[in-house]
Amino acid sequence: MEPRNITGVSQFLLMGFSEETELQPLIFGLFLSMYLITVFGNLLIILAVSSDPHLHTPMYFFLSNLSFVDICFTSTTIPKMLVNIQTENKVITYEGCIIQMHFFTLFIGLDSFLLTVMAYDRFVAICRPLHYTVIMNPRLCGVLVLVSWIMSALHSLLESLMVLRLSFCTDLHIPHFFCELNQMIQLACSDMYLNKVVIYIVAVLLGGAPFAGIFYTYSKIVSSIHRISSAQGKYKAFSTCASHLYVVSLFYCTGIGVHLSSAASHSSHSSVTASVMYTVVTPMLNPFIYSLRN
C-alpha cells in the first residue's frame, strides 16, 4: 500500500537517541548538564567582555557575538528534547518543527559566518598590525556582524519556505532529537528535487565559501608568522589566533565528519549520535577553549 499524502500535517514524532526506558534518565541528565554548561560558560564570556573595558576590542566583540549565537543555537534544540524525555512524549507540532528547523539553520549559519569574520580579524591583526585599529574600526565590525545576520536570516528563510511547499506522508517519525532539514525532506511525499538542489547550492555558497575564506586567511597568517625572525615573536603571533583555530577545527571537522558518516552509514542512530558533536559538544567547549587560551 502506497503512503498517503497529507496536506494538513499537525505533528511529527522526534524519535531521539533510544526508546529504552532505563536509558532516558541518563540521557536527560547528560544533556541537561551539557546545556547548562554551554549557557553559563558562554554567558560568562559575554558578561566578562561587556564589563571589562580592556576587552572592548574587535576580537572580543566577535567572541561575545559567537557566545550569544551558541546559547541560542543549543536553546533551539535541547530544551524541547529535555521536555519530551521528561513528559515521555515525542510529539512536536508541525509549526514547532518548522520554527525549530528555521532557527537551527539560522544559528548554524551564523556560527559559520562569525568564525569567518573572526579569521579575518586575526588576519588583519597579524598581517597588517600597524593598520589594525584603522581597518578593524567599530563601524566595520558592526557591518560584518550585521551582514552575517542578514545572510543567515535569508538562508534560513529560504530553506523554511522550501520545506513549506512539501506535502508529507503518513510516516512522520523523525529519527533525530530535533527537526533536522535533511530528515524532514526525506519524509516528504512530494517532489524533493528542487529542495535538494537548493540545499547543495547553499551548502557550496554559504558553507564552502566561508571555509575557503578561513583557509585562505590562515594560509596568509602562517606565511606571515614564518617570516618572523624570533621564536618568541612567532609564539606571540600564533597565540593570538590559536583559540580561534581550535574552535574552527572543532566546528568544521565535526560537521564534515557527521555528513561523511551519514553518507557512509545507513544507520540513523549513528548519524544522530555523531550530530551531537557539532550541535551540542562544540558550543559547550568554545568557552573552555577561549578561557584557557586567554
Side-chain angles (χ1 to χ4, degrees):
M1 182 177 180
E2 295 183 357
R4 178 172 55 89
N5 284 1
I6 299 177
T7 55
V9 177
S10 60
Q11 63 186 27
F12 292 93
L13 294 177
L14 296 174
M15 304 311 296
F17 296 93
S18 173
E19 296 186 18
E20 298 182 18
T21 307
E22 59 271 16
L23 291 179
Q24 299 308 309
L26 176 62
I27 296 174
F28 180 87
L30 179 63
F31 276 85
L32 177 61
S33 301
M34 290 193 293
Y35 178 65
L36 292 177
I37 292 172
T38 301
V39 171
F40 285 112
N42 284 286
L43 189 60
L44 283 174
I45 287 182
I46 295 173
L47 293 175
V49 172
S50 61
S51 61
D52 190 346
H54 295 92
L55 300 181
H56 292 175
T57 61
M59 182 179 74
Y60 289 103
F61 170 72
F62 295 135
L63 176 58
S64 61
N65 276 273
L66 180 67
S67 295
F68 173 75
V69 170
D70 280 341
I71 292 174
C72 297
F73 184 34
T74 52
S75 298
T76 302
T77 57
I78 297 182
K80 176 59 180 174
M81 185 194 71
L82 295 176
V83 170
N84 284 3
I85 293 176
Q86 190 68 21
T87 59
E88 299 182 357
N89 186 357
K90 300 178 182 295
V91 171
I92 182 171
T93 64
Y94 174 78
E95 294 79 8
C97 200
I98 295 294
I99 292 172
Q100 188 182 68
M101 183 209 69
H102 174 82
F103 283 103
F104 179 84
T105 307
L106 169 67
F107 292 124
I108 196 171
L110 270 169
D111 255 355
S112 179
F113 282 122
L114 286 175
L115 289 174
T116 307
V117 169
M118 293 171 75
Y120 176 71
D121 172 69
R122 294 298 84 204
F123 164 77
V124 177
I126 294 174
C127 300
R128 303 287 187 274
L130 298 179
H131 302 89
Y132 178 74
T133 55
V134 176
I135 297 175
M136 299 305 297
N137 57 76
R139 184 173 180 273
L140 177 62
C141 294
V143 169
L144 290 174
V145 171
L146 179 61
V147 170
S148 298
W149 275 93
I150 292 174
M151 294 293 291
S152 300
L154 292 175
H155 169 221
S156 59
L157 179 61
L158 173 63
E159 298 289 9
S160 300
L161 293 175
M162 292 299 295
V163 172
L164 287 173
R165 61 181 285 273
L166 298 174
S167 59
F168 293 88
C169 303
T170 53
D171 182 13
L172 300 176
H173 295 72
I174 299 177
H176 220 299
F177 67 94
F178 66 94
C179 293
E180 201 265 338
L181 176 61
N182 290 320
Q183 297 289 349
M184 288 189 66
I185 291 177
Q186 291 176 13
L187 296 178
C189 288
S190 53
D191 184 20
M192 301 174 288
Y193 176 76
L194 185 58
N195 291 74
K196 291 182 178 180
V197 169
V198 170
I199 289 176
Y200 291 139
I201 293 175
V202 169
V204 172
L205 295 179
L206 301 186
F211 180 77
I214 293 173
F215 183 81
Y216 175 78
T217 55
Y218 270 102
S219 66
K220 292 294 185 181
I221 289 173
V222 170
S223 177
S224 296
I225 293 177
H226 183 70
R227 289 196 296 267
I228 299 176
S229 57
S230 66
Q232 184 178 2
K234 289 182 179 181
Y235 174 79
K236 184 177 180 181
F238 178 76
S239 64
T240 62
C241 60
S243 300
H244 178 258
L245 186 58
Y246 293 149
V247 171
V248 167
S249 301
L250 188 63
F251 179 80
Y252 280 101
C253 289
T254 54
I256 293 173
V258 166
H259 288 89
L260 290 178
S261 64
S262 300
S265 174
H266 297 288
S267 172
S268 59
H269 179 73
S270 61
S271 177
V272 173
T273 305
S275 68
V276 174
M277 287 301 298
Y278 78 96
T279 59
V280 182
V281 176
T282 300
M284 180 185 69
L285 292 180
N286 286 356
F288 291 99
I289 294 173
Y290 277 103
S291 298
L292 290 174
R293 294 298 304 179
N294 294 282

